[in-house]
Amino acid sequence: MDAWYQPFVDFGSTLMQPLYWAVSGLLVLFHFLWSPVLGADSGWTWTLSIVCLTIIIRMLLIPLFVRQIKSSRQMQLIQPRVRELQKKYGHDRQKLGEETMKLYREEGANPMASCLPLLLQSPIFFALFRVLDGAAHGIPRGQWLKDRVDLLSSLQNAQIFGARISDTFMGVGFANGITSIHVLCVILIVAMTGSMFITQLQLMRKNMPPEALTGQFAQQQKIMLYIFPLAFAVGGINFPVGVLIYWFTSNLWTMAQQFYVIRRNPSPGTPAFDAWEARRKAKGKSTTVAVNGSGTDKGKSATSNGVARRNGKGAEPATVPEEPEGPRVVRQQPRRQTRSQRKR
């Protein structure tokens, strides 16, 4: 007899089939492109296919990422004003809720807007994880892998650094001691969790004003800073090598993408914004010096040097007296006379 939740599982699997089809199709496509270079059964062919697949998906999700960053930043910036409202209307829950929603409308902030892009990304990431995890265990997910059993077997048995794409840290066991599989899995787990931690840390340290680092919202951010990497580190011991490669690539992309956004479009009042202002001022100053030294006052300098040479003062320009203010007096010129008239 089927379990009571089996209909829900079947329904969810049906909804995920289009995503499985797209993810498996991209994976097979990149394997086809890399096979002539590295070989069809090479572990590096499948590794690069997973990396390229992850990059393509992350590029398609850039608009959602930008929206998530903007919404999260807006919520962080208004937290000091939210705390002021809490101090003022803490005794009246209804009034506090009304004023808080009014503040959100005025500032164009939405608490759910920062979560919505993440929720929309989740099915795509889950489909990618399920396709790779299923392939590592010999379970084809996606029509492109179901039609190519040889590719499924190749992905499952491909090796890099002595470890198969399908191997896990706990699945190998320690009967033969510490093997290359354990070492590779530990390196990938540390890289995956470390890149995730650095990404969250740079967001809190560089793109948040000091006043936003206090309060309940900031405390939640600090808790997630440590909880998420720890959860992935614990779960990572059961992830196949192919899934660890995917997560590390995805986190590395997120870290670089967020670094670019923070550097080019920082939030006002944050350390990143101060550094951006300093770079802009330094660039403007160097540009001004370069322009002045390359000919902006060239005509003026040449005129001054010419006057200086005529006055015998070397490189120092001569001082030209200014005309006095007031009405200009026109001097009458004498009438021209002939030579005989001048003798008389």
Side-chain angles (χ1 to χ4, degrees), residues 8-38:
F8 299 98
V9 174
D10 295 338
F11 179 72
S13 178
T14 303
L15 291 180
M16 294 296 294
Q17 289 305 317
L19 293 178
Y20 290 159
W21 180 87
V23 171
S24 62
L26 288 173
L27 185 63
V28 171
L29 172 63
F30 285 116
H31 177 267
F32 173 77
L33 295 176
W34 285 109
S35 293
V37 181
L38 302 172

Side-chain angles (χ1 to χ4, degrees), residues 39-231:
D41 296 326
S42 172
W44 290 108
T45 299
W46 285 109
T47 299
L48 290 175
S49 299
I50 294 172
V51 170
C52 293
L53 168 64
T54 308
I55 292 175
I56 289 297
I57 291 179
R58 293 311 306 265
M59 289 177 65
L60 295 175
L61 294 175
I62 285 179
L64 291 177
F65 173 82
V66 173
R67 184 175 179 181
Q68 179 184 356
I69 287 292
K70 290 182 178 180
S71 300
S72 178
R73 181 172 63 183
Q74 191 66 20
M75 287 296 299
Q76 293 166 0
L77 293 177
I78 66 174
Q79 284 307 304
R81 299 177 62 182
V82 172
R83 288 196 298 270
E84 292 178 1
L85 293 177
Q86 291 173 348
K87 293 178 181 179
K88 186 176 181 180
Y89 302 105
H91 59 283
D92 190 346
R93 292 284 183 178
Q94 182 178 357
K95 185 66 174 178
L96 175 61
E98 293 175 356
E99 292 296 327
T100 303
M101 294 306 298
K102 180 180 178 182
L103 175 63
Y104 288 159
R105 288 193 298 268
E106 292 176 351
E107 298 297 332
N110 187 351
M112 295 301 298
S114 59
C115 301
L116 182 60
L118 185 61
L119 294 176
L120 294 177
Q121 296 176 40
S122 298
I124 300 175
F125 290 146
F126 183 71
L128 182 58
F129 170 82
R130 292 285 289 169
V131 168
L132 294 178
D133 183 69
H137 292 89
I139 303 174
R141 292 191 176 97
Q143 195 63 38
W144 295 93
L145 289 177
K146 289 181 180 179
D147 294 341
R148 297 291 304 274
V149 182
D150 56 327
L151 289 181
L152 186 67
S153 177
S154 176
L155 173 60
Q156 188 177 11
N157 297 306
Q159 295 186 6
I160 56 169
F161 297 118
R164 294 186 304 171
I165 299 292
S166 58
D167 287 332
T168 64
F169 182 86
M170 297 300 295
V172 178
F174 294 91
N176 298 322
I178 298 176
T179 63
S180 58
I181 300 174
H182 296 109
V183 174
L184 179 60
C185 287
V186 168
I187 292 175
L188 288 175
I189 291 172
V190 171
M192 176 185 67
T193 56
S195 57
M196 181 181 295
F197 179 81
I198 293 174
T199 301
Q200 297 295 324
L201 186 64
Q202 75 174 354
L203 179 63
M204 294 184 62
R205 294 291 177 86
K206 292 186 177 182
N207 207 39
M208 288 182 64
E211 59 271 13
L213 296 176
T214 58
Q216 183 178 1
F217 185 80
Q219 292 300 322
Q220 294 175 356
Q221 293 287 330
K222 291 179 181 179
I223 292 174
M224 289 190 294
L225 175 65
Y226 297 98
I227 291 297
F228 278 177
L230 181 62

